[in-house]
Amino acid sequence: MTLDALIQTYFDTGTLPDLPRDHFIDGQFIAPQAGAYMDSFDPATGTAFGDFAAGTAADVDAAVSSAARGLAVWRDTPPAQRCAILNNVARLMRAEADLLAVVETLDSGKTLAEAQGDVASSARLFEYYAGAADKLDGRSVNLGNDNAAFTIREPVGITAHIIPWNYPTSTLVRGIAPALAAGCSAVVKPAETTPFTALLIADLLVRAGLPAGVVNVVTGTGAEAGAPLVTDPRVRHVTFTGSVATGVHVMQAVAPNVTGLTLELGGKSPLVAFADADPEAVADGALWAIFSNAGQICTAGSRLVIHRDLHDQVLDKLVAKARALRIGHGLRGPDMGAVNSPQHLNSIAAHVDRARDRGVDILCGGKPACDPETGKGWFFEPTILGGLSPDDDAVIQEIFGPVLAVQKFATEEEALLLANGTEFALAAGVYTSDISTAIRMARRIDAGQVTVNDYWAGGIELPFGGNRKSGFGREKGLEGLDAYTRPKAITLAV
Ligand code: NAD
């Protein structure tokens, strides 16, 4: 179906034909052993448009057994063949991009343009790691004439991938693409509100030539399906992306099995704007740093740390731009889509209500909203909070919605203190026309990635991850392969 036909079909029928609803295990869709299903809702209407399997420990056990069989085949598949299959995946993903993007829009509430960007970068991830699959070489080491010594890079084994709901496609692919390039197999547990793209991609992988069992998907809740997956002793690495609270819980849960772990957790990232920055560029940068994906991005620039001389000028522009954003159903091309669930909407609203009760200035927005065309859905107005002290809850807690906290500074030292003033250390932006200020700040801000004069600069080729409570380990870039390979040293007496 064409993109237009998919969208029309959804608006005519309230669903899409042939949505998968069962787990994907051993190369096929398999019904849940307990027989239970859960509804999936379109956040922009609040209405169910499909259902999916509510997985339990028995389904996880079957998926991990399948991954063990898949691993036996895949780790011995010649690297050049792994490379060819992953390139096929990228091609097929581009061919099926319209379906994936429409499904992702319906599942998550984001705009179609955001979903299309996510699918495009995911196809690039497969291509990028396809290119690495046949270059995972070891090295030879000189121990003197009595030995020949060398290293090989082995796949770690079965990997588990726990996925959140904000970027279900790219978060999944940035984990499984390097794992597959390395020769690992995988079991994926998507978030309970966004299961469908993982199921579609698992099926696509097999159609692209991946042997059955190498990638398996079990849907369901964190407690019923996620917990048994991360604690299965056959799993040798867990890549978890989600909240700090669940990440800490997973870290404790995997400890008895001494399972490897990558934690991609929350953020409260600052965008630091100096007095010499271009005010228009700062206003545009801050607008999209916080309102892209309705603020539901771990790396969202959720704090604007701004020099007092630039503050009024930028805030006038920024508030006007925020008020002009059009919210609406993601398939109708708005500037900003819905938030993912009613529970999450309530959590955002509660943060803002508490800020209002504390006397915080609400410069714009501040309330839940709905799709102006239908009066339905779970939306929150683009919101800017001003006059905040460094220890205000709106400054130190991740709200994970379209809510920007503004902080003023007078000196570079103060800007640095504010930028590093939360428990998170994921991303940061610096706006200045002075290259020395830019480099000093980039070196001294505690974060996994710092961008200068363009908040979303970067790509899949760069390592991505956080410090402190934002987690540890790196995904994307060549560094993204490290979690899925381990070196083995081999020596031969001569
Ligand atoms: P969450 O922690 O509630 O859930 C994440 C995933 O963990 C879901 O699939 C859930 O089912 C699963 N889960 C829950 N309990 C589990 C358990 N006991 N064992 C195993 N799995 C379990 O997070 P969320 O609300 O889906 O996502 C939002 C959070 O994710 C935000 O804090 C955001 O910053 C963070 N995030 C981080 C990154 C990053 O790369 N650093 C990217 C996206 C989102």
Side-chain angles (χ1 to χ4, degrees):
M1 252 195 256
T2 64
L3 180 60
D4 287 347
L6 280 165
I7 295 173
Q8 199 52 53
T9 302
Y10 174 70
F11 283 130
D12 289 346
T13 65
T15 188
L16 290 173
D18 306 324
L19 274 179
R21 64 193 293 265
D22 291 319
H23 302 308
F24 193 84
I25 298 173
D26 230 347
Q28 49 192 312
F29 289 106
I30 305 261
Q33 296 191 32
Y37 290 82
M38 301 165 72
D39 283 336
S40 192
F41 294 87
D42 174 355
T45 63
T47 309
F49 71 97
D51 65 353
F52 60 95
T56 58
D59 302 315
V60 170
D61 184 58
V64 178
S65 298
S66 163
R69 293 188 293 275
L71 178 67
V73 176
W74 188 240
R75 76 172 153 217
D76 291 336
T77 300
Q81 207 174 320
R82 295 209 288 261
C83 167
I85 291 171
L86 293 181
N87 272 320
N88 270 347
V89 172
R91 269 194 293 276
L92 205 50
M93 205 164 180
R94 288 198 178 103
E96 299 181 14
D98 288 346
L99 175 66
L100 289 167
V102 170
V103 169
E104 197 68 299
T105 300
L106 297 178
D107 236 4
S108 66
K110 64 179 69 216
T111 66
L112 179 64
E114 285 163 339
Q116 286 169 324
D118 204 32
V119 173
S121 72
S122 299
R124 264 291 293 145
L125 276 161
F126 275 117
E127 208 166 54
Y128 180 80
Y129 288 110
D134 56 356
K135 298 172 190 70
L136 293 170
D137 302 326
R139 60 195 177 100
S140 90
V141 180
N142 187 351
L143 294 182
N145 289 339
D146 295 341
N147 272 286
F150 62 97
T151 65
I152 56 174
R153 278 176 89 173
E154 295 180 328
V156 296
I158 301 173
T159 60
H161 303 258
I162 306 285
I163 311 298
W165 44 258
N166 62 329
Y167 278 90
T169 302
S170 58
T171 309
L172 161 72
V173 174
R174 77 188 187 195
I176 63 168
L180 294 175
C184 298
S185 62
V187 180
V188 177
K189 210 297 281 173
E192 42 272 64
T193 53
T194 52
F196 291 120
T197 44
L199 294 166
L200 291 169
I201 290 169
D203 180 56
L204 181 155
L205 286 163
V206 171
R207 287 186 282 120
L210 192 75
V214 179
V215 172
N216 307 271
V217 177
V218 176
T219 55
T221 65
E224 295 292 321
L229 175 57
V230 299
T231 51
D232 189 306
R234 294 169 292 177
V235 169
R236 296 319 309 142
H237 188 88
V238 174
T239 297
F240 172 85
T241 309
S243 62
V244 176
T246 315
V248 169
H249 183 83
V250 168
M251 197 170 169
Q252 289 165 335
V254 304
N257 291 332
V258 197
T259 307
L261 183 63
T262 300
L263 286 183
E264 297 282 10
L265 307 178
K268 192 78 190 183
S269 302
L271 188 156
V272 185
F274 285 87
D276 60 0
D278 170 6
E280 194 67 37
V282 174
D284 278 334
L287 185 82
W288 293 114
I290 184 62
F291 299 128
S292 297
N293 210 41
Q296 303 161 113
I297 310 185
C298 53
T299 45
S302 48
R303 292 187 293 140
L304 174 61
V305 177
I306 186 160
H307 193 277
R308 61 184 179 193
D309 293 348
L310 199 65
H311 178 275
D312 292 357
Q313 216 189 131
V314 166
L315 263 291
D316 283 350
K317 290 176 190 290
L318 184 54
V319 167
K321 287 172 193 280
R323 287 199 174 119
L325 292 178
R326 293 166 303 118
I327 57 175
H329 196 292
L331 293 180
R332 292 201 183 94
D335 299 315
M336 200 177 91
V339 302
N340 185 245
S341 65
Q343 295 80 357
H344 189 52
L345 179 62
N346 289 341
S347 154
I348 297 168
H351 272 286
V352 175
D353 287 347
R354 285 195 297 270
R356 190 181 283 112
D357 293 346
R358 288 194 297 277
V360 166
D361 292 342
I362 300 187
L363 304 177
C364 66
K367 297 188 302 298
C370 38
D371 179 350
E373 219 159 293
T374 61
K376 294 181 183 170
W378 307 318
F379 294 84
F380 200 82
E381 295 174 345
T383 299
I384 301 179
L385 307 179
L388 294 164
S389 65
D391 59 352
D392 193 279
D393 269 3
V395 166
I396 56 180
Q397 290 188 14
E398 185 185 45
I399 299 174
F400 214 57
V403 182
L404 177 68
V406 182
Q407 302 172 266
K408 269 193 236 183
F409 70 88
T411 65
E412 186 176 318
E413 243 3 81
E414 197 188 344
L416 188 67
L417 273 175
L418 294 177
N420 287 338
T422 75
E423 290 185 314
F424 298 105
L426 188 54
V430 178
Y431 279 71
T432 176
S433 52
D434 183 324
I435 192 159
S436 301
T437 309
I439 290 176
R440 268 197 312 275
M441 289 299 286
R443 285 185 174 150
R444 295 173 74 197
I445 291 177
D446 190 5
Q449 38 276 310
V450 180
T451 52
V452 176
N453 290 336
D454 179 0
Y455 192 74
W456 292 117
I460 59 139
E461 302 83 354
L462 284 165
F464 174 83
N467 306 333
R468 307 186 72 204
K469 284 202 175 166
S470 294
F472 53 77
R474 291 294 180 266
E475 296 190 275
K476 307 203 283 190
L478 292 177
E479 290 82 352
L481 291 154
D482 293 346
Y484 304 110
T485 63
R486 58 187 172 207
K488 178 181 274 176
I490 300 174
T491 56
L492 292 84
V494 174

